[in-house]
Amino acid sequence: MNTKFDLNDDSLVVIVGSGAGGGTLANELAQKGIKSVVLEAGKRFKLDDIENDEWKMFGKISWLDKRYLEGPARLAKDFPNLPAWIVKGVGGATMHWAGVAMRFQEHEFRMRTENGTVPGANVLDWPITLKELDPYYYKAEQKMGVCGTEATGMPFHGKSSHYKVIEEGARRIGAKCEQATLAINTQIRDGRPSCQVNGFCMQGCRIGAKWSTMYTEIPRAEATGLVEVRPQSMALRIEHDKQGNVTGVLYADKDGNQHFQKARLVSVAANSIESPRLLLNSASPMFPDGLANGSGQVGQNYMTHTTAGVYGEFEQPVHMYKSTVVPGIVHEWKDNDPSRGHVAGYELEVLHLGLPFMSAFLNPGKSGWGRELADSLANYDRMAGFWICGEDMPVESNNITLHPTEKDQYGLPVPVVYKTDHINDTRMRNHAYDRSTELLEAVGAKKVNYLPPYPASHNMGTNRMSRHARDGVVNRWGQSHEIQNLFISDGSQFTTSGTENPTLTIVALAIRQADYIADQMKRGNL
Amino acid sequence: MKRTSKEQPTDLGRRRFLGRSGIAVAGIGIISSGLLTPAAWAASAVGEHASATLLRMARDIYPHDTLENKYYAAVLTPLARKAGKDMALKKMLAEGVKALDQRSQQLFSRNFLELEHESDRVLVLRAIEESPFFQRIKGDLMMGIYNNPELWPRFGYGGSAWQKGGYINRGYDKIDWL
Ligand SMILES: Cc1cc2nc3c(=O)[nH]c(=O)nc-3n(C[C@H](O)[C@H](O)[C@H](O)COP(=O)(O)OP(=O)(O)OC[C@H]3O[C@@H](n4cnc5c(N)ncnc54)[C@H](O)[C@@H]3O)c2cc1C
Ligand code: SF4
């Protein structure tokens, strides 16, 4: 359906971003009869645009607008203009994502209480509990079609050769390993086919077996006739009235023409670099530090998970690429056990890269060349390994700020991302390197390669949820502490990162937020 | 890497390959003689010495001894062609090779091409690895070698799979050595 709304229609919700958070919110609101306009900076892609080719898809759908990455971490040296690997397009990063869908653990909502003050970190308890979120996790699992869960009853994918190598290594060292709960169909379900194991989940699923808002939430929302998605529409600024309520969003269309879309309520879901950037760019005499920023926390506490890669080389073929990208997870160290030398937990996510990306990430940066690297790449088909994904510490100085002079193609100050390890992150990563090595060697690895972190696929925390207005940007519903008709609906509202991949939690929060918004509208509060 | 080529290095030494671009390239003789024939892949654009040096350098950056020269040349040829029209690039290549030889002279009193030991050449290359010249060659090579579908079978990588129905019925679960 081709619904068109008037720019002066102030009865609409305006949602910025059409990814995991924004796409889900639009559909959930539409199903309740609430109208919205979705402003999406990127283009609309079709399934036919999705190719099984790592670099082509990277070039086609990535967010490549100018950004700076600063800080002493190696990532800033290797990728000075690519802090994050995310998407500009209808569907957002749910096009690139691998589909790993896990619930947070109970204690991960109260890490401050669990561990007390962690020096140098800005840890806070979430203002919500697992118990409150559980019913929404269930709904999210159903919506997204997560295999291996009670919510769908869909079986796991079946053990790939890559998974079997890791499972055997885990068995030999007594570590817990399971197939991954993926938002990827293992049966025909919800109008989408079953996975045929192409192995290119992170390039977009050509057949649509993997959940993405691009071909689930968005078309469903549009089919209600209550939602208009405007691709190639970059939100520049959110405006407000004298009372301090937001009134709409100024955006640039594909030709660079500016329009102002009026709104009854604005939801920001532009991922954790662009969301705070938009709030900062919306500074006004009434809100000189940016919208919703009375606490000074907008853009702070940027988290990406503590990550790295570990790949073992074996004597026999593994052909890890013949698998869903993430066939399994080693869960052994996901608990919070400070006796390991670090607080919070991590997962070892069995994950493959294709040869092109392996060559770029095995030893990235200027000195990544030479015989050792080439010899490892020559063993590509005998590799098996992980992506480490652990909880990282919120640190205030890890943040998003605006470049003082340089502007992007829209005339907006370029975002500057500062990110470096907290000592806990470093300790955790080293622990994970050691345990992975033990596991891989137990099953016969001759050489184990440590890959440094690559540009962040998980981005969180820059508009965090807090009980008190002084500590964060939004309340337990993702609603700004200061501006009651302004909401944050993406991963930037995470108080802490948890160990698990973020998207299931983003979607659960968006479903819950839609309930809240509908209820508040009914009561006349919004 | 799987050694699919039947040729022995001695055969290779006598043979010539056609690069993907259609420009004739010299064979592996470069490794022993240190010089390319006048028909060298890019000699017309950057000169014989430079083209031979670049090829040697390319093989040292991502050394796969069983990969024929044509795959390395296929990366360098378009670069040299482009340099024919792009003065800045031409300058970068010419000065890059000169700087490489200077380093080599400083360290070993010989030009880069005359260094017989890989470890010596690596030392010289490490000394210039930060330069835009080196990074340009490295970047193009990474794409040309590891992102080259023609070479993927040699590395045991499958490439695009959806059009073949993926691996669900093509052995995703097969492994016999555990
Ligand atoms: C390679 C890869 C693998 C991943 N694997 C997993 C996984 O297995 N499991 C998991 O849980 N997560 C995974 N993720 C992360 C997951 O994709 C993100 O957590 C999730 O998509 C974030 O949702 P979001 O709503 O915050 O932002 P996004 O989904 O990124 O959506 C934000 C949207 O906003 C748009 N936008 C930005 N700025 C503006 C603006 N000013 N105006 C208009 N539009 C704007 C963007 O173009 C984008 O479409 C992966 C990510 C990548 C890149
Ligand atoms: S492995 Fe499955 S989900 Fe992943 S891209 Fe292939 S068909 Fe899609």
Side-chain angles (χ1 to χ4, degrees):
Chain A
M1 217 170 290
N2 262 338
T3 308
K4 290 252 179 295
F5 290 117
D6 195 276
L7 288 171
N8 288 314
D9 187 342
D10 61 3
S11 71
L12 306 169
V13 172
V14 173
I15 300 173
V16 179
S18 63
T24 302
L25 184 69
N27 189 26
E28 287 290 311
L29 291 177
Q31 301 305 328
K32 298 174 198 295
I34 298 169
K35 293 180 288 183
S36 67
V37 165
V38 179
L39 300 176
E40 167 53 57
K43 287 190 213 137
R44 204 190 273 268
F45 293 95
K46 299 186 294 294
L47 277 185
D48 280 356
D49 293 321
I50 295 175
E51 297 175 78
N52 286 177
D53 186 310
E54 292 181 312
W55 284 118
K56 269 198 198 142
M57 289 313 292
F58 178 82
K60 205 184 272 192
I61 68 176
S62 296
W63 186 284
L64 297 172
D65 293 5
K66 186 78 177 272
R67 284 174 173 163
Y68 286 102
L69 175 58
E70 293 182 348
R74 175 169 170 186
L75 189 68
K77 196 162 175 273
D78 291 346
F79 302 96
N81 296 114
L82 195 71
W85 172 14
I86 41 185
V87 175
K88 188 177 195 175
V90 174
T94 65
M95 282 209 261
H96 257 332
W97 83 311
V100 179
M102 291 184 287
R103 297 183 186 192
F104 269 38
Q105 304 162 74
E106 193 182 358
H107 69 268
E108 288 174 327
F109 289 95
R110 44 175 165 76
M111 290 303 275
R112 175 69 189 242
T113 304
E114 286 284 299
N115 297 310
T117 305
V118 177
N122 193 14
V123 185
L124 201 66
D125 289 349
W126 287 62
I128 55 174
T129 61
L130 177 63
K131 206 163 160 220
E132 283 174 85
L133 207 54
D134 264 338
Y136 292 98
Y137 271 139
Y138 190 87
K139 286 184 188 178
E141 287 163 353
Q142 279 191 322
K143 173 193 282 293
M144 301 161 80
V146 182
C147 71
T149 61
E150 196 196 309
T152 65
M154 261 197 304
F156 283 115
H157 281 250
K159 300 176 178 180
S160 67
S161 55
H162 191 197
Y163 177 77
K164 288 177 184 173
V165 172
I166 302 301
E167 182 185 51
E168 179 58 18
R171 193 188 64 76
R172 291 185 191 177
I173 66 164
K176 189 172 168 232
C177 174
E178 277 175 359
Q179 290 193 68
T181 46
L182 301 172
I184 299 179
N185 278 354
T186 55
Q187 294 168 343
I188 298 171
R189 182 180 183 279
D190 203 26
R192 292 183 289 118
S194 177
C195 170
Q196 61 177 32
V197 195
N198 292 325
F200 284 88
C201 315
M202 294 204 301
Q203 279 59 53
C205 182
R206 169 85 190 197
I207 62 170
K210 177 188 80 176
W211 180 83
S212 168
T213 56
M214 169 189 163
Y215 40 76
T216 59
E217 307 310 306
I218 297 286
R220 263 179 214 170
E222 290 176 311
T224 63
L226 299 174
V227 176
E228 180 187 351
V229 177
R230 293 187 197 147
Q232 293 179 281
S233 299
M234 175 78 179
L236 308 172
R237 197 182 154 79
I238 301 170
E239 301 281 0
H240 63 80
D241 61 18
K242 284 205 287 283
Q243 285 73 46
N245 286 317
V246 296
T247 52
V249 181
L250 182 73
Y251 70 96
D253 68 19
K254 67 176 191 311
D255 304 314
N257 297 319
Q258 297 194 356
H259 310 277
F260 183 72
Q261 175 63 56
K262 285 193 180 166
R264 163 186 192 178
L265 182 155
V266 173
S267 140
V268 179
N271 209 323
S272 296
I273 297 177
E274 294 306 313
S275 287
R277 181 186 184 213
L278 179 59
L279 297 182
L280 295 174
N281 274 330
S282 303
S284 68
M286 190 168 177
F287 300 108
D289 298 321
L291 292 189
N293 198 18
S295 63
Q297 296 293 308
V298 169
Q300 315 294 84
N301 311 304
Y302 173 60
M303 297 175 287
T304 61
H305 277 139
T306 296
T307 69
V310 186
Y311 287 87
E313 294 169 35
F314 296 85
E315 281 176 341
Q316 306 277 338
V318 179
H319 44 71
M320 61 177 171
Y321 62 88
K322 298 183 185 177
S323 176
T324 53
V325 164
V326 181
I329 316 265
V330 179
H331 293 288
E332 186 66 26
W333 302 283
K334 71 175 177 186
D335 57 336
N336 181 51
D337 175 6
S339 75
R340 288 197 298 263
H342 59 86
V343 298
Y346 64 86
E347 319 258 6
L348 299 180
E349 308 199 342
V350 188
L351 181 148
H352 74 256
L353 298 170
L355 178 69
F357 275 8
M358 188 58 85
S359 75
F361 293 139
L362 194 59
N363 185 5
K366 292 187 171 165
S367 55
W369 59 276
R371 190 164 287 275
E372 188 186 346
L373 178 71
D375 283 350
S376 288
L377 290 168
N379 281 333
Y380 173 77
D381 66 343
R382 279 165 274 171
M383 281 185 179
F386 312 103
W387 185 61
I388 298 165
C389 182
E391 174 156 358
D392 68 338
M393 290 296 112
V395 172
E396 241 180 25
S397 53
N398 284 334
N399 61 12
I400 317 301
T401 53
L402 304 176
H403 196 281
T405 52
E406 201 174 328
K407 303 266 180 6
D408 69 4
Q409 72 268 38
Y410 304 104
L412 299 172
V414 168
V416 180
V417 177
Y418 185 98
K419 175 76 171 106
T420 198
D421 269 4
H422 182 273
I423 182 68
N424 193 72
D425 306 340
T426 311
R427 287 186 182 139
M428 177 187 286
R429 186 181 299 105
N430 288 338
H431 190 273
Y433 276 148
D434 288 350
R435 295 291 84 75
S436 323
T437 305
E438 214 176 291
L439 187 155
L440 293 167
E441 286 179 352
V443 63
K446 294 292 160 220
K447 183 183 175 199
V448 177
N449 301 282
Y450 297 160
L451 285 60
Y454 39 85
S457 49
H458 300 173
N459 298 271
M460 296 156 287
T462 47
N463 293 305
R464 73 177 180 183
M465 220 184 238
S466 64
R467 180 160 295 125
H468 305 294
R470 62 170 189 266
D471 297 325
V473 180
V474 295
N475 67 16
R476 59 204 317 276
W477 307 104
Q479 179 179 30
S480 157
H481 283 301
E482 277 161 53
I483 302 176
Q484 66 152 13
N485 65 342
L486 177 64
F487 285 73
I488 303 292
S489 314
D490 62 10
S492 68
Q493 60 185 320
F494 282 28
T495 311
T496 50
S497 78
T499 303
E500 293 72 18
N501 312 45
T503 308
L504 183 73
T505 302
I506 295 174
V507 172
L509 289 172
I511 300 171
R512 177 172 169 274
Q513 187 179 69
D515 279 358
Y516 175 75
I517 290 174
D519 179 61
Q520 291 295 303
M521 282 180 168
K522 228 175 270 154
R523 291 168 195 259
N525 294 338
L526 279 172
Chain B
M1 179 179 324
K2 284 186 212 82
R3 186 161 182 149
T4 51
S5 163
K6 281 185 234 74
E7 293 106 346
Q8 295 304 304
T10 41
D11 294 324
L12 294 174
R14 284 191 296 273
R15 288 193 48 187
R16 288 187 164 188
F17 296 95
L18 281 182
R20 263 199 314 199
S21 57
I23 292 185
V25 295
I28 210 152
I30 179 182
I31 286 170
S32 45
S33 74
L35 271 177
L36 278 175
T37 64
W41 54 275
S44 62
V46 294
E48 204 174 306
H49 175 72
S51 73
T53 304
L54 288 172
L55 184 59
R56 180 64 269 168
M57 175 179 164
R59 294 208 69 111
D60 287 333
I61 291 180
Y62 295 120
H64 293 286
D65 297 341
T66 57
L67 274 196
E68 300 82 346
N69 271 345
K70 65 173 176 176
Y71 294 109
Y72 293 91
V75 177
L76 299 169
T77 305
L79 193 67
R81 271 247 192 85
K82 211 167 156 223
K85 285 177 238 124
D86 178 343
M87 285 320 286
L89 182 62
K90 189 167 181 168
K91 191 164 164 233
M92 183 205 259
L93 295 179
E95 287 179 0
V97 170
K98 208 185 281 171
L100 186 66
D101 278 336
Q102 262 165 16
R103 272 295 173 153
S104 182
Q105 289 287 353
Q106 274 169 16
L107 290 166
F108 300 104
S109 311
R110 266 177 297 165
N111 276 349
F112 181 74
L113 265 179
E114 285 144 27
L115 301 178
E116 277 160 39
H117 300 293
E118 181 174 328
S119 55
D120 292 346
R121 294 194 303 271
V122 166
L123 212 64
V124 177
L125 289 170
R126 286 283 169 210
I128 65 148
E129 74 177 9
E130 296 272 332
S131 67
F133 160 69
F134 182 93
Q135 291 300 323
R136 175 66 192 264
I137 306 281
K138 171 181 174 287
D140 284 15
L141 274 172
M142 181 188 281
M143 296 306 271
I145 303 289
Y146 304 114
N147 197 37
N148 181 353
E150 213 182 307
L151 284 176
W152 286 343
R154 303 269 295 261
F155 286 91
Y157 176 53
S160 183
W162 70 269
Q163 74 284 12
K164 300 176 195 154
Y167 294 103
I168 186 94
N169 299 313
R170 290 195 303 137
Y172 81 99
D173 55 348
K174 293 277 174 297
I175 188 152
D176 57 12
W177 53 269
L178 287 173

